């Protein structure tokens, strides 16, 4: 196995958070460092905490706007939840997890260790507080509002990806392949028609295909498929190569990347921000917190409440098998995503709310393989190259949190992208650059504003 953690332990998700100190009270104003804080050498326009896909994309966009940028990463760049996801760029995933019926399904599955969505039973006040807020948003009105907000980011990113990759010389096996969702349950396939109507209204192309017709064109699948939903506007790439390419492009454009840099304290001072880390102190005009699933822990050091929980996902990467699906696909009833690249083959997905548990859960991994065996003639590649887990930053409404920290002049948030950090990365970088630079934003920032939780 490869990765940032020792073999057999999986990969830690959530870039840059470290273990912030302080006993900050949630919801209070950001604390100010003492005026006799350690001296710093130099000053950047923007300090970004978190060297994952969102931090690096934001940094690269800010460099393009003429800002001097330094990224502080607790581990190594890209060593987070983007590394092991399935690499699909999916406007089709505009509908949020906070939907009617989600809470009931989660409760039914709570005691099933291999359920696609699982809440690990335990005493965790932060999780249950988050779950209560999530449950309040599992209604049709909020679901449709969230779908519209997510679609705007997803479509803007998808449209910008080809030029973004070309301009920065990033080679990551990008292909405008589309993505198919495959069904074996007639009732679930028919039920998708309602969501399809709303996606089409947002400009997302949707085609529903009869199972017999679909199977004739997709020899990788076993019999039993009753229908498929095709999203021609989706795409795919190899996510680990994408994030590595972002890191190289960021540094080539003049950005500074400091790895192994654990943030210990941070806050506003009179003329900007001050950050104390395991590798010294840094100063800047603005501070962008882009630490994914670790955002709540670092935010507490700033006396902020960020309504995000870590949603643990898993994947298995193989060498490419002889027979693979022609497009990336989601095996709907099993909630398994299947992606084939020239360089490999990956099974991934699942959602597990188990805190920051670092175990590589064999039951969850085996569920991916069992699901693939139900649908595919060749569900695994010849060589199992990596087993992985990562924590996705799940906001309480499953809509990203992007914008200025309420009550602060120089603090910004970019987190809460859930399973869509790669898909939303380009538009997030552009939007955060517009906001930090005081430019007219190319997207309406209101649906993502941190103060919506006040």
């Amino acid at each position: 196995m490869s990765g940032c953690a020792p073999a057999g332990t999986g990969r830690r998700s959530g870039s840059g958070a470290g273990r912030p100190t302080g006993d900050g009270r949630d919801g209070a104003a950001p604390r100010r460092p003492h005026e006799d804080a350690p001296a710093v050498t130099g000053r950047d326009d923007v300090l970004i905490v978190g060297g994952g896909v969102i931090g690096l994309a934001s940094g690269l966009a800010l460099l393009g706007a003429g800002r001097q940028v330094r990224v502080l990463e607790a581990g190594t760049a890209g060593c987070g939840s983007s590394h092991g996801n399935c690499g699909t760029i999916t406007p089709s995933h505009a509908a949020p997890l906070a939907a009617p019926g989600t809470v009931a399904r989660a409760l039914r599955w709570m005691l099933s260790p291999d359920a696609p969505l699982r809440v690990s039973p335990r005493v965790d006040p932060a999780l249950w507080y988050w779950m209560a807020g999530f449950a309040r948003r599992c209604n049709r009105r909020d679901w449709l509002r969230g779908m519209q907000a997510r679609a705007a980011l997803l479509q803007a990113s998808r449209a910008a990806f080809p030029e973004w990759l070309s301009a920065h010389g990033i080679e990551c096996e990008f292909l405008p392949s589309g993505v198919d969702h495959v069904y074996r349950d007639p009732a679930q396939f028919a039920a998708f028609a309602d969501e399809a109507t709303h996606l089409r209204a947002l400009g997302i192309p949707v085609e529903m295909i009869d199972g017999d017709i679909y199977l004739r064109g997709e020899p990788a699948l076993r019999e039993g498929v009753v229908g498929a939903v095709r999203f021609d506007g989706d795409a795919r790439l190899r996510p680990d190569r994408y994030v590595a390419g972002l890191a190289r492009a960021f540094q080539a454009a003049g950005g500074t990347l400091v790895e192994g840099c654990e943030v210990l304290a941070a806050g506003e001072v009179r003329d900007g921000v001050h950050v104390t880390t395991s590798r010294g102190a840094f100063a800047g005009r603005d501070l962008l917190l882009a630490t994914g699933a670790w955002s709540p822990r670092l935010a507490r050091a700033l006396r902020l409440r960020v309504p995000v929980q870590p949603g643990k996902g898993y994947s298995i990467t193989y060498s490419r098998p002889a027979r693979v699906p022609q497009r990336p696909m989601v095996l709907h009833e099993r909630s398994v995503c299947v992606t084939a690249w020239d360089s490999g083959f990956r099974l991934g997905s699942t959602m597990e709310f188990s805190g920051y548990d670092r175990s590589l859960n064999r039951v969850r991994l085996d569920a991916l393989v069992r699901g693939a065996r139900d649908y595919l003639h060749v569900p695994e590649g010849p060589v199992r190259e990596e087993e992985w887990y990562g924590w996705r930053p799940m906001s309480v409404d499953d809509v990203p949190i992007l914008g200025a920290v309420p009550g602060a002049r120089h603090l910004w948030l970019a987190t809460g992208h859930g399973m869509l950090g790669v898909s939303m990365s380009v538009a997030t970088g552009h939007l955060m650059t517009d906001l930090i630079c005081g430019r007219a934003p190319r997207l309406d920032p209101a649906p993502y504003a941190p103060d919506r939780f006040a």
Side-chain angles (χ1 to χ4, degrees):
M1 298 179 198
S2 62
C4 307
T9 63
R11 181 183 301 274
R12 192 191 77 174
S13 166
S15 299
R19 295 179 297 278
T21 61
D23 57 352
R25 177 172 53 85
D26 287 352
R31 73 177 181 181
R32 297 177 181 273
H34 297 299
E35 295 302 321
D36 59 353
V40 299
T41 56
R43 175 184 166 95
D44 297 287
D45 293 330
V46 185
L47 296 172
I48 298 177
V49 183
V53 69
I54 297 300
L56 290 170
S58 298
L60 191 53
L62 282 160
L63 289 171
R67 295 300 191 265
Q68 182 181 357
V69 185
R70 186 184 304 266
V71 170
L72 310 176
E73 164 57 47
T76 57
C79 184
S81 61
S82 301
H83 171 89
N85 74 26
C86 284
T88 50
I89 311 301
T90 50
S92 62
H93 282 46
L97 181 63
T102 298
V103 172
R105 284 195 300 274
L107 291 173
R108 287 198 304 270
W109 288 338
M110 185 171 286
L111 298 179
S112 177
D114 64 349
L117 170 62
R118 182 170 186 265
V119 180
S120 177
R122 67 190 190 282
V123 178
D124 184 343
L127 172 63
W128 293 109
Y129 182 83
W130 183 94
M131 288 292 294
F134 178 86
R136 287 196 300 273
R137 292 166 172 86
C138 288
N139 61 75
R140 191 168 181 83
R141 185 193 64 180
D142 288 334
W143 180 68
L144 291 173
R145 183 184 300 158
M147 186 187 300
Q148 185 173 8
R150 284 158 56 99
L153 273 177
L154 287 164
Q155 289 171 298
S157 265
R158 172 63 186 89
F161 251 109
E163 182 180 350
W164 171 262
L165 296 174
S166 175
H168 297 298
I170 299 174
E171 297 290 339
C172 58
E173 300 189 54
F174 176 84
L175 185 69
S177 58
V179 172
D180 294 343
H181 287 226
V182 181
Y183 289 75
R184 296 173 70 91
D185 183 330
Q188 293 192 42
F189 180 57
F192 184 77
D194 176 58
E195 184 174 327
T197 298
H198 295 291
L199 292 174
R200 291 188 185 107
L202 293 170
I204 297 169
V206 182
E207 180 185 4
M208 299 186 72
I209 306 170
D210 178 78
D212 290 338
I213 295 172
Y214 187 78
L215 282 170
R216 286 200 291 270
E218 182 47 271
L221 282 169
R222 294 182 179 277
E223 294 295 323
V225 171
V226 300
V229 182
R230 174 160 292 170
F231 299 99
D232 269 327
D234 289 1
R236 59 89 159 154
L237 51 70
R238 178 114 190 191
D240 49 348
R241 296 186 179 184
Y242 172 52
V243 182
L246 284 176
R248 287 192 297 270
F250 172 76
Q251 293 176 93
T256 303
L257 174 62
V258 187
E259 298 180 310
C261 185
E262 180 184 338
V263 171
L264 305 174
E268 290 190 303
V269 291
R270 279 188 294 267
D271 59 347
V273 295
H274 188 282
V275 180
T276 303
T277 80
S278 59
R279 297 193 60 181
F282 300 92
R285 189 189 65 185
D286 290 290
L287 174 66
L288 173 60
L289 181 66
T291 47
W294 293 88
S295 297
R297 291 191 170 188
L298 183 55
R300 282 197 291 272
L302 297 169
R303 296 189 178 182
L304 304 173
R305 184 177 67 84
V306 177
V308 165
Q309 275 288 312
K312 193 175 183 182
Y314 294 83
S315 70
I316 307 171
T317 305
Y318 300 89
S319 58
R320 184 180 168 106
R323 186 193 299 188
V324 298
Q326 297 176 45
R327 296 171 178 233
M329 61 174 54
V330 175
L331 313 178
H332 179 81
E333 289 80 8
R334 290 290 197 169
S335 295
V336 174
C337 183
V338 180
T339 309
W341 306 286
D342 293 342
S343 61
F345 179 74
R346 181 168 290 169
L347 306 177
S349 196
T350 81
M351 179 67 70
E352 179 184 20
F353 289 97
S354 55
Y356 296 96
D357 169 43
R358 294 177 179 272
S359 63
L360 194 61
N361 188 323
R362 179 58 50 188
V363 172
R364 309 293 286 175
L365 289 168
D366 290 347
L368 295 175
V369 178
R370 286 197 304 274
R373 286 174 180 168
D374 285 347
Y375 290 77
L376 300 176
H377 288 292
V378 184
E380 300 176 81
V383 178
R384 185 174 290 203
E385 297 177 346
E386 182 181 36
E387 296 177 332
W388 175 92
Y389 74 84
W391 295 297
R392 296 87 153 236
M394 303 301 297
S395 72
V396 72
D397 57 2
D398 203 16
V399 174
I401 305 169
L402 311 174
V405 169
R409 293 180 300 160
H410 304 286
L411 301 178
W412 305 84
L413 289 172
T415 186
H417 293 79
M419 297 180 283
L420 300 172
V422 171
S423 287
M424 294 177 168
S425 59
V426 183
T428 295
H430 288 155
L431 178 58
M432 294 311 303
T433 296
D434 291 341
L435 295 174
I436 292 171
C437 294
R439 307 189 307 204
R442 60 199 76 191
L443 290 174
D444 178 8
Y448 321 106
D451 63 7
R452 72 184 189 268
F453 303 112

